[in-house]
Amino acid sequence: MLATSMLRTLSGTKQGLLSCYQSLHFVRLCGQLHCLRLGCYDYFFSKSPTNLQRPRVVNIVTTLRGFQEAEPEQLSVQVAESKLQLAESKPSNISLVTSRPLEKKCNVSTEPVLSIVPWQRVTYPGKLWKGLQLPMITIGSSGRLGNLMGNYASIFGLGRAYNTTVRIDVALQKQLAKIFPRITIPSIDTNASMAELQSLPYLGNYVYGDKEAAAAGLLGAHAFLAKGYPIEIQLFHAYGCEIRNEFTFAPDIQEKVRQFWLAKKNLITDTVLVGFHIRRKDYLKYVKHRGEQMPNQTYYSNAMKFYKDKFSKVVFVVGSDDTKYIKGEFKGRPDVIFVPGKSPEEDMAILASCNHSIITVGTFGFWTAYLAGGLVVYPGDFYIPNYPLQKDRYERAGMDLFVPIPRT
C-alpha cells in the first residue's frame, strides 16, 4: 500500500526517481525495501523515454525478482561454433604454464550490463565523506579467497562502470595484497573506525540492483557499505583484462608454480593443459538444501570428453577442497595431475596457468578459470534461483568462452 501511494505521487523525471529511491532507502532500514524497490523500478521503466538508445541495459526488475524456475534445457556437447572461434591452442610448455595471467592473451570485447544508464544518474559535486566524493561504496573482508576476489572485482567494476568512488577496507586490502600485490583500489581511511563503517547504510548480498542504484547516486549522497559475497560478473567482465592485471600472483607464488611444472615437465610436453576444479564439502549441503544436485561423475566424463575430442593430447590438472575425494575419483588415470593442496593461492595459481578449464560450482573454481583465460566448461543445466555463477548469468554478462554442457 505504501509503495502504491508513493508511486502515484511521482513524476517520470529524474527527481521523481531520486525521491523514490531515497524513500525506499529509508524504508529499507525498516526492513521493507525489497517489495518497494520493485514497485519503483516497475514505475520508472514504464515511464522511460523510448527514443533514447540504451545498449545492454537490463530491466532491473528481472534481477531483483530472481529468475523464474524453469526446466533446464537439454544442452548438447556440440557447442555453437560462434563460441569456439579461437586461435588453435598451442601445446603447453614450461614457459607457457608458468606465465602470469597478465602475460596471457586478453581479449574482452563487451560492455558492462548496466541497470541504470547515464541520463538516470545523479551527481553531488562537493559532497564529501572523509575527503571522498559521494556517493562512495566500500566493501569489507568476508569469506575465503574466491569470495574476497569477488568482493574486490565487484567493487572494481562498479567504480569503473559508474565512475563512482570505491574503497576496500584495510582487512581486505591486507589479505589480497600479499597474494596479488598489483591491486590498485585504495583501502578506506583508517580514521574510520570499525563501528563507524558498520553503521553505514548497507547494500545487500544477492540483490545486485541496490549497489548500482547507490553508485548512480539514486540513493543519495552517502557512503555505503556493501555486505555479503557479491560477484557481479555483469559489471566487472567488461574490464576483464584489467581484472587479470589486478589479480597477478605475487612472485613467490609464481615461483612455486614454476617449480611445480618443472617437476612434471616430462608429462606436459606438447600437451594442452586443462585445469579442473571440483568444489565439494560446504556446497554439498548448500546445493541439496536448494533442491539441486551437485555435478557428478557423469558431468566429469562429459567435460573431459569435450576437451579430448577437441585436442589430440590433453592432461587434466585437478584440484578440490576435498583432496581425498578427487584422488579416489581419478585414481590411476595417466592423463590426470593433482595440484599440491598446500594452500588455496598456490592451487589457484597452478590451475590459472593452464590453457583451458573445467569448473563445477563456487567462486574459487570460477576464478581459476577466469584467470586462465581459455575455454571454460561448466554445468549448463545447474540452476538455483539468484545463484550468481550459472548459465543465465554467464550469458547475460557476455562470457562467450564459458561453454555449458549437461551433467547427465
Side-chain angles (χ1 to χ4, degrees):
M1 184 177 295
L2 174 60
T4 303
S5 63
M6 179 173 63
L7 293 174
R8 286 173 180 168
T9 66
L10 293 175
S11 67
T13 64
K14 181 185 290 185
Q15 185 59 44
L17 181 65
L18 174 60
S19 299
C20 176
Y21 263 117
Q22 289 174 332
S23 299
L24 295 178
H25 182 56
F26 173 81
V27 176
R28 181 180 60 76
L29 301 179
C30 302
Q32 299 183 30
L33 174 64
H34 185 70
C35 62
L36 295 179
R37 187 194 292 117
L38 290 179
C40 179
Y41 269 113
D42 274 329
Y43 174 85
F44 177 72
F45 277 91
S46 68
K47 298 295 184 182
S48 298
T50 58
N51 61 340
L52 296 178
Q53 291 186 357
R54 300 191 291 169
R56 293 189 64 75
V57 177
V58 175
N59 187 331
I60 202 167
V61 178
T62 304
T63 304
L64 295 173
R65 285 176 176 163
F67 295 89
Q68 297 298 315
E69 192 74 41
E71 289 296 323
E73 60 180 289
Q74 297 298 316
L75 300 171
S76 171
V77 176
Q78 291 296 324
V79 183
E81 286 298 320
S82 62
K83 290 191 176 183
L84 298 178
Q85 299 302 313
L86 303 174
E88 185 69 20
S89 294
K90 295 180 180 180
S92 300
N93 54 53
I94 294 299
S95 63
L96 174 64
V97 298
T98 59
S99 65
R100 298 173 304 191
L102 179 64
E103 295 170 341
K104 292 191 174 187
K105 181 180 179 181
C106 184
N107 182 22
V108 176
S109 57
T110 187
E111 296 292 328
V113 184
L114 304 180
S115 299
I116 300 162
V117 290
W119 58 267
Q120 300 171 356
R121 302 175 195 176
V122 182
T123 58
Y124 304 89
K127 294 280 188 179
L128 306 177
W129 181 83
K130 294 187 177 294
L132 300 175
Q133 175 64 50
L134 295 174
M136 188 281 297
I137 302 176
T138 186
I139 195 165
S141 172
S142 56
R144 292 176 287 186
L145 180 56
N147 299 128
L148 299 180
M149 296 170 70
N151 288 0
Y152 184 93
S154 296
I155 287 293
F156 185 96
L158 200 64
R160 288 296 309 277
Y162 287 95
N163 193 29
T164 196
T165 307
V166 294
R167 292 292 186 270
I168 58 177
D169 78 0
V170 175
L172 180 57
Q173 199 278 336
K174 288 182 178 179
Q175 287 176 290
L176 286 179
K178 65 183 181 182
I179 302 171
F180 308 111
R182 291 191 184 186
I183 60 172
T184 58
I185 299 178
S187 59
I188 201 162
D189 190 336
T190 53
N191 290 330
S193 67
M194 182 58 67
E196 189 174 9
L197 290 176
Q198 292 297 327
S199 69
L200 294 176
Y202 70 86
L203 306 171
N205 188 5
Y206 292 128
V207 182
Y208 298 109
D210 59 358
K211 299 177 187 66
E212 293 190 58
L218 301 181
L219 298 185
H222 303 293
F224 298 92
L225 175 63
K227 290 191 174 184
Y229 312 99
I231 181 161
E232 303 207 27
I233 57 177
Q234 82 284 358
L235 291 179
F236 69 70
H237 177 54
Y239 313 105
C241 297
E242 296 171 67
I243 291 292
R244 291 185 178 101
N245 187 6
E246 300 275 320
F247 290 149
T248 299
F249 291 98
D252 63 312
I253 299 173
Q254 294 183 43
E255 178 59 22
K256 291 178 181 178
V257 174
R258 192 179 76 87
Q259 293 298 330
F260 176 83
W261 290 121
L262 283 172
K264 293 175 170 49
K265 61 183 179 181
N266 293 333
L267 299 174
I268 65 173
T269 302
D270 299 325
T271 300
V272 171
L273 296 175
V274 177
F276 188 173
H277 187 264
I278 298 175
R279 179 70 172 265
R280 299 265 304 166
K281 292 192 173 179
D282 57 333
Y283 258 76
L284 295 174
K285 184 176 180 180
Y286 171 83
V287 169
K288 183 179 180 180
H289 180 69
R290 283 155 180 79
E292 252 291 0
Q293 295 181 354
M294 290 285 285
N296 57 19
Q297 292 85 349
T298 303
Y299 169 73
Y300 306 159
S301 297
N302 290 344
M304 297 169 88
K305 182 178 185 299
F306 173 87
Y307 287 111
K308 291 177 79 70
D309 288 348
K310 185 169 178 58
F311 303 112
S312 59
K313 187 177 180 183
V314 183
V315 166
F316 299 95
V317 186
V318 183
S320 176
D321 59 339
D322 190 341
T323 303
K324 182 178 179 180
Y325 172 81
I326 59 172
K327 288 191 173 179
E329 195 67 36
F330 300 101
K331 182 179 180 181
R333 287 195 58 149
D335 60 348
V336 168
I337 296 173
F338 299 105
V339 299
K342 295 178 180 178
S343 71
E345 56 268 27
E346 182 180 349
D347 287 354
M348 180 178 286
I350 290 170
L351 293 170
S353 69
C354 295
N355 302 107
H356 304 291
S357 305
I358 299 170
I359 59 176
T360 54
V361 293
T363 55
F364 187 94
F366 168 83
W367 283 114
T368 67
Y370 195 78
L371 296 184
L375 287 172
V376 181
V377 166
Y378 70 93
D381 51 1
F382 179 89
Y383 179 80
I384 292 177
N386 294 324
Y387 183 65
L389 299 174
Q390 57 190 5
K391 184 173 184 286
D392 51 9
R393 301 300 177 94
Y394 294 141
E395 292 182 346
R396 177 174 175 244
M399 302 177 76
D400 291 336
L401 297 183
F402 278 58
V403 181
I405 66 168
R407 290 172 294 172
T408 57

